[in-house]
Amino acid sequence: MSSDGPSHNEFDFEFLGNTTGEPYSVQTNVYVNGVGNREQRLNLWFDPTKDFHTYSIFWNQRQVV
């Protein structure tokens, strides 16, 4: 999700591949007024390729969960 313009706001949510035996991970980053540097990488406790999953993002003026 991203807004237009030089002071854009954006939320990135990416699944990252792995090498055999390594955990899958998801990487997030948030840009506010064009500034990012909020990148986080989390190892998943499940294999996202083995089944259908539903993901939700909750956000408001104070937080993104």
Side-chain angles (χ1 to χ4, degrees):
M1 298 178 286
S2 179
S3 63
D4 293 329
S7 296
H8 80 283
N9 300 308
E10 180 179 336
F11 181 69
D12 293 332
F13 185 85
E14 305 173 38
F15 285 97
L16 303 177
N18 69 9
T19 58
T20 304
E22 296 295 320
Y24 285 89
S25 59
V26 64
Q27 179 171 299
T28 62
N29 199 356
V30 178
Y31 292 83
V32 178
N33 292 323
V35 179
N37 298 325
R38 294 175 177 90
E39 191 172 283
Q40 293 183 9
R41 190 175 290 184
L42 306 165
N43 288 336
L44 298 176
W45 60 95
F46 62 93
D47 183 346
T49 67
K50 293 206 175 197
D51 201 358
F52 178 81
H53 298 88
T54 300
Y55 304 95
S56 300
I57 300 170
F58 170 78
W59 71 88
N60 60 31
Q61 292 177 332
R62 297 190 183 122
Q63 64 184 347
V64 177
V65 180

